Amino acid sequence: MKEFRGTGVALITPFDENNQVDIEALERLIKHQIENGIDYLVALGTTGETATLSPEEKALVRKHVLEINAGALPVVLGIGGNNTAAVVNELTTTDLGGFSAILSVSPYYNKPSQQGIYEHFKQVSMASDLP
């Protein structure tokens, strides 16, 4: 995974005064990262407020991150959660074109065993060809 060496930035999801995703602020943020030598971007990780975003807001962020980045840097997409079936469903129903890898969290709150964590990530990894 040579393309992920160096520094990646986990992007926030900026909001405007009406609590809507602020696309102009997102554009400024991404361009600032590119102009200042970041090696890759992480969209919709935990710093991107994914636990509180609607599916429509997530789709909006995905679309604009790829458009604004315009292939300048590799982009990692966060898709995770504590519900394995929901994570697998999101992976298999989301257009992953343009993304270089998936970032997924260990299940939280459920306290799975080590075998349970293994099984979770096994299912997640089988749901996508992306690393």
Side-chain angles (χ1 to χ4, degrees), residues 2 4 10-12 19 21 31 33 36 38 40-41 50 60 65 68 74 80 90 94-95 101-102 111-112 118 123-124:
K2 183 179 179 183
F4 296 110
L11 299 169
I12 63 163
N19 294 323
V21 175
K31 288 182 175 180
Q33 301 306 321
N36 285 282
I38 292 304
Y40 62 94
L41 300 170
T50 54
L60 183 69
V65 166
I68 296 163
E90 190 172 349
T94 299
D95 179 3
I102 299 299
K111 285 188 83 175
Y118 169 80
Q123 294 298 313
V124 169

Side-chain angles (χ1 to χ4, degrees), residues 65-112:
V65 166
L66 291 177
E67 286 178 3
I68 296 163
N69 180 57
L73 300 175
V75 181
V76 177
L77 176 62
I79 296 181
N82 62 340
N83 179 335
T84 303
V87 174
V88 167
N89 181 63
E90 190 172 349
L91 278 166
T92 58
T93 60
T94 299
D95 179 3
L96 301 176
F99 293 99
S100 301
I102 299 299
L103 172 69
S104 198
V105 299
S106 292
Y108 42 86
Y109 300 121
N110 302 22
K111 285 188 83 175

Side-chain angles (χ1 to χ4, degrees), residues 48-63:
E49 303 300 333
T50 54
T52 59
L53 294 178
S54 69
E56 295 79 17
E57 289 170 323
K58 288 180 183 181
L60 183 69
V61 170
R62 284 192 306 268
K63 175 183 181 279

